[in-house]
Amino acid sequence: MKRIYLDYAATTPVDEEVIRVMNEIHRDIFGNASSIHLDGRRAREAIERARDKILRKLNARNHKLIFTSGGTESNNTALKGIAFRRKRGHIITSKIEHDCILKTCEWLEKLGFRITYLPVDSEGFVDLKKLEEEIGNDTILVSINHGNNEIGTIEDVKAIGEICEDKGVYFHSDACQSFCKTPIDLEEMKIDLLTINAHKIYGPKGVGGLVIRDGVEIEPLMHGGGHEFGLRSGTENVPGIVGFSKAVEIFKEDDIRKMKKLRDMLIKGILELEDTKLNGPKGNKRLCNNVNALFRYVDGEALLLYLDSNGISVSTGSACSSSSSEPSHVLTAIGLDPKDARCSLRFTLGKWNEEEDVRFTLDVLEEGVNKLREVSALKG
């Protein structure tokens, strides 16, 4: 049976070009980048070329990039790094952030930091006026996701950055889902700390980055040999870092246009089914590859398993919390009741999907929704 993969927000297959360059590094540039002999210098040069390539993609002329193990470590480093440096203060985030942001904030609350969790509207957008009102003299950081991993909402980070700059508060944004899929210009957007990773853009797992504006001081979480500007000790993963930069290099505008076309085709087909609803915004305010839909009177997990049995991989929400029995905190934050939240599925497209994949998925969806509604205890 042919498999149709529609869970690219969870992770992506590694591009063959990325595998090729990583294999070359594994074979030929195996030195420790901290060694001063030729093998070490070659590894260091490979890392610095990769670092420069990623920074140029972000127009990060006044930032440095530290490489990490991925988005979770980068987000933890941003929030805890600022908090530990200041030792006390107020942090603002939103109710629809990734779990690693929310759980970090909950942990910091236990240490005495004050946390504000901003509400969002029915499409997942933060109220900018409310944000401005909540920033006080003790506020040390605002952390708002750029592209939401569940419902695809692209927040107005430029406006948020301007508010934070005007108030003299650092601004962090998690861009793991949006990096390369929507333009990010760090100079224009006034972002002080940005989280990115490789495995959402056809790069390797276990590699990410935190981009930090010059002058922003954070306390390191990892101590040791003083790697990565003294902010993230540990021998650098040279093949992974080079693979990350290659994934950035080969991500094309044509891929984005193709995913948008397939996204809109999938949304149109889903909304033609009875008792369905799109969760999150439409058009350019939504990530190019994200579709999250409510199928009333159908248990989302049952529908996921039906699709899976027919060769289609989708998700009931964030991959990081997909085993939880609790309804999605993102969907309840945008106003869905817990029952409807459990009746929702996330479809995320990739550059290798085709129109025939969408057509087949819609056919199986219609069949599955009808069958499951016939036996559903949720209806009526």
Side-chain angles (χ1 to χ4, degrees), residues 53-331:
K53 190 179 297 182
I54 295 170
L55 287 171
R56 281 190 281 112
K57 176 73 173 179
L58 293 163
N59 190 29
R61 290 169 292 174
N62 299 304
H63 295 69
K64 56 180 169 284
L65 165 62
I66 65 169
F67 289 109
T68 68
S69 65
T72 294
E73 184 187 338
S74 294
N75 284 337
N76 272 261
T77 300
L79 271 64
K80 293 175 182 174
I82 293 292
F84 292 167
R85 174 64 62 152
R86 294 295 189 90
K87 297 185 172 58
R88 63 178 60 85
H90 174 223
I91 295 171
I92 299 173
T93 189
S94 85
K95 291 184 177 180
I96 64 168
E97 299 299 308
H98 191 279
D99 271 352
C100 67
I101 293 285
L102 296 178
K103 283 182 166 55
T104 297
C105 286
E106 289 169 9
W107 186 76
L108 289 170
E109 277 189 288
K110 294 177 183 176
L111 299 183
F113 290 89
R114 186 167 67 90
I115 312 293
T116 295
Y117 300 92
L118 293 172
V120 295
D121 66 17
S122 61
E123 293 186 333
F125 292 103
V126 168
D127 184 331
L128 299 181
K129 185 176 180 181
K130 180 69 172 172
L131 167 62
E132 199 163 5
E133 290 172 353
E134 290 290 344
I135 295 176
N137 293 333
D138 64 338
T139 306
I140 59 175
L141 180 69
V142 171
S143 180
I144 302 293
N145 194 310
H146 185 210
N148 186 269
N149 60 309
E150 289 195 39
I151 58 172
T153 305
I154 301 174
E155 299 286 353
D156 189 350
V157 292
K158 184 175 185 294
I160 295 170
E162 289 170 353
I163 290 169
C164 292
E165 182 183 52
D166 184 60
K167 297 282 189 176
V169 173
Y170 290 144
F171 174 38
H172 164 255
S173 189
D174 176 352
C176 287
Q177 294 291 342
S178 60
F179 182 42
C180 293
K181 301 185 192 83
T182 192
I184 301 176
D185 184 319
L186 290 188
E187 294 307 311
E188 180 184 334
M189 292 177 170
K190 311 298 182 184
I191 297 173
D192 298 298
L193 303 106
L194 186 83
T195 291
I196 55 177
N197 70 359
H199 79 101
K200 310 293 190 185
I201 56 170
Y202 313 94
K205 296 173 181 63
V207 186
L210 180 63
V211 189
I212 308 171
R213 185 180 294 277
D214 294 343
V216 176
E217 295 184 353
I218 67 170
E219 196 69 25
L221 305 187
M222 308 280 284
H223 298 89
H227 308 77
E228 295 298 293
F229 309 99
L231 297 175
R232 203 278 185 181
S233 291
T235 302
E236 291 98 340
N237 175 2
V238 184
I241 289 168
V242 173
F244 188 3
S245 70
K246 187 64 177 180
V248 171
E249 177 188 338
I250 64 177
F251 207 103
K252 306 298 184 187
E253 287 295 320
D254 285 347
D255 297 331
I256 297 171
R257 283 190 286 269
K258 178 183 179 182
M259 286 186 281
K260 280 183 177 179
K261 182 180 178 182
L262 296 179
R263 175 200 67 187
D264 293 343
M265 178 182 172
L266 183 56
I267 290 172
K268 181 176 182 293
I270 287 173
L271 295 182
E272 288 174 355
L273 300 176
E274 188 178 354
D275 287 320
T276 58
K277 175 184 175 294
L278 180 68
N279 297 321
K282 291 183 179 180
N284 291 332
K285 292 184 177 182
R286 187 180 197 102
L287 289 173
C288 62
N289 68 331
N290 177 287
V291 179
N292 190 307
L294 162 62
F295 301 88
R296 286 192 175 90
Y297 319 120
V298 178
D299 179 76
E301 189 170 300
L303 185 55
L304 180 153
L305 293 173
Y306 185 87
L307 292 168
D308 187 44
S309 69
N310 283 274
I312 302 166
S313 298
V314 299
S315 171
T316 52
S318 168
C320 301
S321 58
S322 59
S323 61
S324 172
S325 61
E326 294 298 312
S328 160
H329 71 277
V330 174
L331 297 181

